[in-house]
């Protein structure tokens, strides 16, 4: 049956080892929002800012903050972190958090004070009478990649990158700082196309931060980011993500990874807590979930692309993975 992936050996060339590019080619940012936030004096935001009024949907919505100038603090639960210019924060799961400066300052609610869309220019929200203060670029990203279990499980609740302190040999903080300066310039000097330019610059920064997370993965860590840092698993995952609909065999994947079948299976289990075949099935179902949302393909055609011989088998597998049948998933996305 088509559901059963092939176990027959095959011959193929080695695909490029850039899994992140292959994944991003299939899962792009589906939306974003940016605004400039400039409070002065002592201030603080709500401890649980809501993006409900800003985002078309809550699923896959990731708030971010970029500290352009000044200093402030971040509070997540009971932990307080000092922030400085050049710091980039991303909350993959929309974790509640609070920003502020000083103690017991005025309450500011930037998400409430934003003007109604559409915007001809990026909104700049100023609070307080002082001329000098903190300057942040804030907003959210919508990314369907979080529906893919191995990636979702690999991401922390907060990604915090200090570009001024970057000294890792394989990562250039200067490049990221230059991109942030370009974003600031688009806000300070509005030009035609600026509202379209900022989302693309934000996407570039997000990709660079993901690359940084991969590079910083501990050698013996587990999870999807650690798998990308493992040469053998990275080659194997690159093949899968470059051609997810191929009937991959365990022999093919093991040969290209330079491992035996058992060694590859053991490494998948120890780092990704799954098998190679299960990983392929899960990725195909993720692609199917996006096809249901973004295309008008019949469900039977999507089921076939996902490797299922019958729509009924696809319905069962999809319901197990996402907690709802394909038709209901598509209807919810359209509503």
């Amino acid at each position: 049956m088509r559901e059963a992936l092939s176990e027959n050996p095959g011959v193929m060339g080695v695909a490029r080892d850039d899994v992140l590019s292959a994944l991003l080619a299939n899962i792009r940012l589906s939306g974003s929002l940016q605004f400039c936030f400039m409070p002065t004096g002592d201030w603080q935001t709500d401890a649980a800012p809501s993006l409900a009024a800003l985002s078309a949907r809550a699923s896959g919505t990731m708030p971010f903050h970029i500290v352009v100038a000044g200093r402030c603090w971040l509070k997540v639960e009971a932990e307080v972190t000092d922030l400085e210019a050049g710091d980039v924060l991303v909350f993959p799961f929309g974790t509640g958090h609070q920003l502020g400066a000083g103690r017991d300052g005025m309450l500011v609610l930037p998400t409430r004070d934003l003007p109604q869309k559409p915007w001809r220019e990026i909104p700049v929200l100023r609070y307080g009478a002082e001329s000098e203060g903190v300057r942040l670029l804030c907003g959210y990203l919508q990314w369907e990649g979080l529906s893919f279990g191995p990636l979702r499980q690999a991401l922390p609740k907060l990604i915090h990158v200090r570009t001024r302190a970057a000294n890792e040999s394989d990562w250039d903080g200067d490049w990221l700082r230059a991109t942030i300066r370009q974003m600031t310039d688009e806000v300070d000097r509005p030009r035609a196309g600026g509202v379209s330019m900022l989302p693309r610059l934000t996407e570039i920064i997000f990709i660079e931060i993901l690359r940084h997370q991969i590079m910083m993965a501990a050698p013996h860590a587990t999870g999807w980011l650690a798998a990308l840092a493992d040469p053998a698993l990275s080659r194997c995952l690159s093949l899968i993500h470059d051609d997810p609909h191929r009937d991959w065999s365990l022999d093919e994947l093991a040969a290209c990874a330079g491992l035996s079948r058992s060694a590859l299976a053991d490494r998948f289990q120890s780092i990704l807590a799954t098998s190679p075949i299960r990983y392929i099935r899960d990725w195909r179902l993720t692609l199917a979930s996006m096809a249901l949302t973004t295309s008008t393909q019949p469900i039977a055609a999507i089921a076939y692309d996902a490797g299922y011989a019958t729509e009924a088998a696809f319905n069962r597998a999809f319901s197990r993975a996402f907690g709802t049948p394909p038709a209901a998933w598509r209807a919810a996305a359209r509503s």
Side-chain angles (χ1 to χ4, degrees), residues 154-169:
L155 293 175
K157 66 181 181 181
L158 167 64
I159 300 175
H160 181 192
V161 175
R162 296 186 183 272
T163 65
R164 284 192 172 182
N167 56 11
E168 294 90 353
S169 59

Side-chain angles (χ1 to χ4, degrees), residues 38-242:
M38 300 176 65
T40 61
D42 290 350
W43 58 275
Q44 59 185 318
T45 63
D46 185 4
S50 173
L51 290 171
L54 305 179
S55 172
R57 61 188 186 281
S59 177
T61 299
M62 302 182 293
F64 73 86
H65 305 290
I66 301 172
V67 184
V68 176
R71 293 175 176 271
C72 60
W73 48 257
L74 166 72
K75 185 176 182 181
V76 180
E77 296 173 348
E79 185 175 352
V80 177
T81 303
D82 291 327
L83 306 177
E84 64 176 4
D87 284 12
V88 180
L89 310 168
V90 179
F91 298 84
F93 309 106
T95 303
H97 58 280
Q98 189 175 24
L99 297 169
R103 298 184 60 184
D104 301 322
M106 63 177 175
L107 180 66
V108 294
L109 301 170
T111 56
R112 183 199 63 184
D113 296 336
L114 285 171
Q116 291 292 319
K117 296 187 75 174
W119 301 332
R120 298 185 64 180
E121 296 179 355
I122 301 302
V124 178
L125 304 178
R126 293 182 171 87
Y127 299 87
E130 301 175 31
S131 58
E132 297 295 331
V134 183
R135 186 175 194 186
L136 301 104
L137 292 175
C138 304
Y140 70 81
L141 304 164
Q142 284 183 333
W143 194 45
E144 299 295 344
L146 294 179
S147 65
F148 183 44
L151 177 58
R152 183 178 63 250
Q153 294 160 11
L155 293 175
K157 66 181 181 181
L158 167 64
I159 300 175
H160 181 192
V161 175
R162 296 186 183 272
T163 65
R164 284 192 172 182
N167 56 11
E168 294 90 353
S169 59
D170 295 328
W171 187 66
D172 187 359
D174 289 339
W175 183 90
L176 194 52
R177 287 191 292 270
T179 306
I180 293 172
R181 285 195 297 270
Q182 186 175 355
M183 292 181 70
T184 306
D185 187 60
E186 292 290 339
V187 174
D188 290 343
R189 297 191 299 163
R191 292 171 290 173
V195 174
S196 298
M197 179 67 75
L198 274 180
R200 287 158 177 78
L201 293 173
T202 303
E203 182 173 358
I204 290 171
I205 287 177
F206 176 63
I207 293 171
E208 182 64 17
I209 287 175
L210 283 181
R211 291 168 62 185
H212 179 254
Q213 288 292 113
I214 294 168
M215 187 198 66
M216 294 300 292
H220 301 294
T222 59
W224 194 77
L225 296 180
L228 300 194
D230 180 283
L233 283 187
S234 179
R235 286 194 295 272
C236 186
L237 295 183
S238 180
L239 295 172
I240 293 171
H241 284 276
D242 277 342

Side-chain angles (χ1 to χ4, degrees), residues 287-323:
L287 293 176
S289 73
M290 290 184 288
L292 288 166
T293 301
T294 60
S295 78
T296 58
Q297 279 186 290
I299 291 178
I302 294 174
Y304 184 81
D305 286 343
Y308 292 85
T310 67
E311 188 173 334
F314 173 67
N315 286 345
R316 290 192 295 271
F318 192 93
S319 297
R320 285 195 300 268
F322 294 97

Side-chain angles (χ1 to χ4, degrees), residues 2-8 236-237 240 244 246-253 261 264-265 268 274-285 306 308:
R2 187 173 168 80
E3 297 94 313
L5 296 177
S6 172
E7 293 292 336
N8 296 324
C236 186
L237 295 183
I240 293 171
R246 175 171 176 149
D247 284 332
W248 292 107
S249 72
L250 192 58
D251 287 313
E252 286 178 316
L253 294 173
R261 287 165 50 103
L264 179 64
F268 257 83
T274 190
S275 70
I277 303 307
R278 174 58 62 185
Y279 182 95
I280 294 170
R281 288 174 174 160
D282 289 345
W283 177 235
R284 287 176 175 176
L285 286 172
Y308 292 85

